[in-house]
Amino acid sequence: QVQLVESGGGLVQAGGSLRLSCAASGSIFSYYTMAWYRQAPGKQRELVARITSGDRTIYADSVKGRFTISRDNAKNTVYLQMNSLKPEDTAVYYCNAVWYTADYWGQGTQVTVSS
């Protein structure tokens, strides 16, 4: 069982930055593909960024060039650096860990971008 705890959300003005963190329990964090998803009110949850155990990354088109996902296996933590934030980035951001059939989610952290 893996527990994921997100932090770093908050209220920021458009153009500002935030860094989200997701701390994971367990000793095999480095094996997991980690991802950030988000869900805005009335919308489906969508993938924001993903990083594999080999540090390969993918991003949603809407965040390319503005967001960066990274991981620190020594700290069992994955990060999402968000720059040039826009009001449309407002959502609850969720951390996700996947390894074979194991699939875990955090409780989410609210990000609100004011115009």
Side-chain angles (χ1 to χ4, degrees):
Q1 187 76 9
V2 172
Q3 290 186 326
L4 304 174
V5 179
E6 300 103 332
S7 61
L11 174 64
V12 64
Q13 288 188 332
S17 298
L18 284 174
R19 189 177 81 154
L20 305 183
S21 299
C22 173
S25 63
S27 59
I28 57 171
F29 173 80
S30 62
Y31 293 176
Y32 283 83
T33 289
M34 302 299 297
W36 288 95
Y37 286 75
R38 67 187 181 187
Q39 187 167 20
K43 295 188 177 181
Q44 289 189 330
R45 191 173 297 189
E46 63 175 358
L47 175 68
V48 175
R50 177 183 290 138
I51 184 167
T52 69
S53 58
D55 286 340
R56 287 176 295 178
T57 58
I58 62 169
Y59 295 92
D61 287 343
S62 59
V63 307
K64 282 180 182 176
R66 300 188 298 122
F67 290 10
T68 303
I69 189 170
S70 61
R71 66 192 299 161
D72 185 337
N73 291 335
K75 296 182 178 180
N76 279 17
T77 301
V78 63
Y79 304 98
L80 185 69
Q81 178 66 45
M82 304 186 295
N83 298 328
S84 302
L85 283 160
K86 304 175 181 180
E88 51 263 44
D89 295 318
T90 295
V92 178
Y93 284 70
Y94 296 91
C95 180
N96 173 249
V98 173
W99 186 50
Y100 290 102
T101 59
D103 189 352
Y104 302 102
W105 292 89
Q107 81 287 352
T109 186
Q110 177 71 46
V111 171
T112 303
V113 184
S114 63
S115 57

